[in-house]
Amino acid sequence: MEIKNADWYDLLQDTNWTPKYVTEEELFPPQLSDPYGIPVSEWETFDEPYKVTYRDYVKTQREKDVGAYSVKAAVSRVDFYKQADPGWKAVLQMHFGAVPFLEFGSVSAFARITRFGRGPGMRNMANFGTLDEIRHTQIQMYFAYEFLSVDRAFDWCQKGLNTDNWVIMSERHCFDDIEHTRDAVTSAVMLNFAFEQGFTNLQFVALSADAKRYGDFSFATMLQTVQSDEARHSQIGEPLIEILVRNGRKEEAQKLVDISFWRVWKQFSALSGIAFDYYTPLAHREFSLKEFVQEFVTTQFLRNLKALGLDKPWYWDEYFVPDVETYHHAQQIGIYMYRDTEWWDPIAGVSPQEREWLEKKYPGWNDTYGKVWDVITENAAKGRTERLTPTIIPVMCGMTGFELTGVAGSKWNVKDYTLDLDGRRYHFGSPVDKWIFEQDPARYKNYYGFTDRLANGMIPADEGLFEYMGMSPEERGTCGMGFKWADPVKRAA
Ligand code: MN
Ligand code: MN
């Protein structure tokens, strides 16, 4: 007689018991488990959408790994990399320096939810999530390792996390906030719901589609195996939010989503947005960041949010929607110009044909960001390299850790949103970033961002600045195309 999983699953997954040797409070301290005071009987209603047994889990994961590793073994990755377009190289260099350490961070966040979550089903799902994130870290490190012999940018896959490079600092400030410094309930809302459901599709489904079009099949397959795990474990968020809303905690749940959605959006916009709209070789590019956001965020995520009884974040129409069309264009200018402070070799991505594509996807691009690129292009075409490396350190947002930017050219609207607290002035790139700070000043106020550290003399100037960031001369980014992108303009002049 065969016993089906459904016949025993509910019985076995019920792992709550009454502790004898310690109190309930000692076993699940509220500040780590549930500061919202939801009754245990409510937590026991947590019904995980994916019911997986360990045996099935291992079998499926093994198949995924076999698939990804065999595609990798079939193609010589090193030869592929050597011949790759400079834009695609930039995608890989940036991805492998920026993403695997976040996967590693997620291991600890999931482990905390596994240990301190109050719902048995929640702990079950988080347990598999912990194993998923270990796999994501390992497979990506393994894939990056292969390129080490040809490009030391891939050293940053291991090294990045331990440096105070400004891009890494920006990522850490965001993910430390949402993943590492909160109780099991709060971090699950922020991590599983806002970050994973909201955005991982962008990096893993959208980028994987670009990779396939470009012919990078092993990267595409690897990304797909990662995303299939994300699709499962991110669903911890839904029953969790249902429980919060049902127990009178809608307002708190909404605020957690509003904070984390914006924080993660800024990271994805600046990093994935540039990869989609500037680095992916034009001939293989199909959708813009804006179109990917339309599909995965505006449609899918918003629908899920409303189905759970939450509202769209308060800033959606006024700040998020315009940000989708602007933020990454502004960041791309800074990322390209300050390239020697980055571990990857950025490209400009603004040849005449690329500009046509940008104008088509983002009407008005030529008249705004295009104006800035006109000047950079002229300098590049005339070989004025000294004007292609800024010597001034920009003001950075105290929340995102990215440059303060706005719309350039004819619609100039750059503004510094400031806040004074205990004798210190804080700078923010948007009213939303400032609002997040105001929700919990004690959490954020003692942090010194990159510009603050420079201004306070915590970071030495000139060469010392690179040493502070852990960047030897060979590790600093240079124009991935050696300024050759300006050649058509040079010829036309
Ligand atoms: Mn992951
Ligand atoms: Mn994940």
Side-chain angles (χ1 to χ4, degrees), residues 179-209:
E179 281 196 305
H180 299 308
T181 53
R182 314 257 186 181
D183 60 274
V185 177
T186 306
S187 49
V189 172
M190 291 185 152
L191 162 65
N192 302 135
F193 189 71
F195 167 27
E196 292 182 333
Q197 283 224 353
F199 293 105
T200 55
N201 277 326
L202 278 185
Q203 187 72 12
F204 295 104
V205 178
L207 188 60
S208 162

Side-chain angles (χ1 to χ4, degrees), residues 169-186:
M169 279 173 61
S170 159
E171 283 187 280
R172 257 195 329 242
H173 189 277
C174 170
F175 293 98
D176 280 1
D177 187 10
I178 69 165
E179 281 196 305
H180 299 308
T181 53
R182 314 257 186 181
D183 60 274
V185 177
T186 306

